[in-house]
Amino acid sequence: MKKWDYRFLRLAKEVSTWSKDPSTQVGAVIVNPEKHVLSLGFNGFPSYMQDAPTLYANREEKYSRIVHGEINALVLAKRDVWGCTLYTYPFLPCDRCAVIMIQSGIQRVVAPAPSADQASRWAGAFDKTKKYFDECKVEWEEPSREELALEGI
């Protein structure tokens, strides 16, 4: 990992705090090869949709409405992201977001290794994500929580 990777992961962590989701806050940063931030995204409801805490508390309602942070970053980029790097926090994209990132041309993904709780909760999705990235030659890195703690992340 390079110092820029840590910087962009730090930014993804900050962006994750903008989410109103009480259970999982996700932040995403799309960066071009010249290290310019193209877009930021966090998980939340679409613009102009009611954004009440009661809707986030109702899992069925929340899952129906929520847009994942990676998708928000992609949509808000409003430009080609071919060859770019996606940084996500607190873990890799789910398998559904992974296939969309692959289709959009994201070539590299950096995200913290999941905590033990996250790994057990989303193990199937993370396994599929890694399989799809490997199949499609998308580089991915999961620095350890210990490594990131040394960098203040």
Side-chain angles (χ1 to χ4, degrees):
M1 293 254 310
K2 301 175 185 97
K3 69 179 179 179
W4 283 102
D5 292 326
Y6 296 120
R7 290 173 177 166
F8 293 128
L9 273 179
R10 203 172 289 115
L11 180 56
K13 182 178 180 181
E14 175 63 26
V15 171
S16 76
T17 68
W18 304 346
S19 171
K20 293 181 182 178
D21 188 336
S23 63
T24 306
Q25 296 178 308
V26 173
V29 179
I30 298 176
V31 178
N32 72 11
E34 290 76 36
K35 298 180 182 46
H36 299 147
V37 173
L38 298 185
S39 188
L40 307 172
F42 55 91
N43 58 319
F45 298 162
S47 299
Y48 313 110
M49 186 175 271
Q50 186 182 1
D51 205 24
T54 55
L55 295 171
Y56 284 99
N58 178 327
R59 286 183 104 48
E60 184 178 334
E61 193 68 39
K62 178 178 87 169
Y63 289 154
S64 176
R65 292 172 178 252
I66 202 143
V67 179
H68 289 192
E70 303 90 334
I71 303 301
N72 265 327
L74 182 63
V75 169
L76 296 172
K78 298 189 186 304
R79 64 183 88 182
D80 187 12
V81 297
W82 195 265
C84 291
T85 298
L86 171 68
Y87 295 87
T88 58
Y89 187 91
F91 39 63
L92 283 171
C94 70
D95 54 310
R96 295 308 309 144
C97 287
V99 297
I100 294 168
M101 296 303 115
I102 292 166
Q103 183 70 6
S104 71
I106 293 289
Q107 293 293 305
R108 183 170 175 255
V109 178
V110 181
S115 67
D117 178 54
Q118 293 164 341
S120 65
R121 184 174 176 192
W122 290 297
F126 294 150
D127 290 345
K128 288 178 187 174
T129 292
K130 293 172 185 178
K131 175 184 168 192
Y132 299 159
F133 285 164
D134 289 345
E135 180 181 332
C136 297
K137 312 264 187 289
V138 173
E139 286 181 56
W140 58 274
E141 291 185 57
E142 279 186 308
S144 72
R145 297 279 168 165
E146 296 77 20
E147 179 183 350
L148 294 179
L150 293 172
E151 295 295 326
I153 303 170

